[in-house]
Amino acid sequence: MKILHTNWVAGLYLLLLLTGALIPLGMGSTALNNNYTFHIRADYLLHALFYIPLPVVLLLSRWGRRVGLMQVILFSILVVVLFETVQMLVPYRAFNINDLIANGVGVVIGLVAAVFIWRRFSQ
């Protein structure tokens, strides 16, 4: 089975995630940066859903197949931390530890799928 030109797909996906981390959201009457320790908002589910494909797309890319599973795992974690942390530098966005955790949950779910895909394609 020929894999698509996933380097382009991975690059576009990373650009989409970064854009989503930087565009202004919630500029109306409700602010999205109220931090509660055990309060779960609906957008946490969206955070997780957006990051589930990240390790899969990276693993299927030419780069991911060349460097291996461990580097894809480390890079996925780095992307999650970096994209949430960069929001501290953007005036209309805010760092939220709960968003970081939700992003991490999405990556972990994606990593489970990536491991199954890795085993299938490496046999």
Side-chain angles (χ1 to χ4, degrees), residues 9 19 51 87-88 102-103 115 119:
V9 173
T19 303
Y51 280 89
Q87 292 181 19
M88 288 190 293
N103 297 346
V115 167
R119 288 183 179 164

Side-chain angles (χ1 to χ4, degrees), residues 60-77:
L60 291 177
S61 71
R62 195 174 306 151
W63 172 82
R65 287 178 284 154
R66 187 176 66 239
V67 299
L69 183 62
M70 187 55 69
Q71 285 80 6
V72 168
I73 292 170
L74 293 174
F75 188 74
S76 296
I77 293 168

Side-chain angles (χ1 to χ4, degrees), residues 71-85:
Q71 285 80 6
V72 168
I73 292 170
L74 293 174
F75 188 74
S76 296
I77 293 168
L78 176 69
V79 165
V80 165
V81 172
L82 180 67
F83 284 8
E84 190 63 33
T85 305

Side-chain angles (χ1 to χ4, degrees), residues 34-108:
N34 293 329
N35 294 331
Y36 303 102
T37 305
F38 294 109
H39 181 73
I40 298 176
R41 295 188 323 234
D43 72 316
Y44 296 151
L45 177 62
L46 291 176
H47 278 267
L49 289 174
F50 285 140
Y51 280 89
I52 288 173
L54 177 63
V56 176
V57 169
L58 290 174
L59 189 63
L60 291 177
S61 71
R62 195 174 306 151
W63 172 82
R65 287 178 284 154
R66 187 176 66 239
V67 299
L69 183 62
M70 187 55 69
Q71 285 80 6
V72 168
I73 292 170
L74 293 174
F75 188 74
S76 296
I77 293 168
L78 176 69
V79 165
V80 165
V81 172
L82 180 67
F83 284 8
E84 190 63 33
T85 305
V86 77
Q87 292 181 19
M88 288 190 293
L89 305 173
V90 179
Y92 48 82
R93 296 301 300 255
F95 176 86
N96 185 335
I97 190 69
N98 295 327
D99 288 348
L100 180 68
I101 292 168
N103 297 346
V105 167
V107 165
V108 168

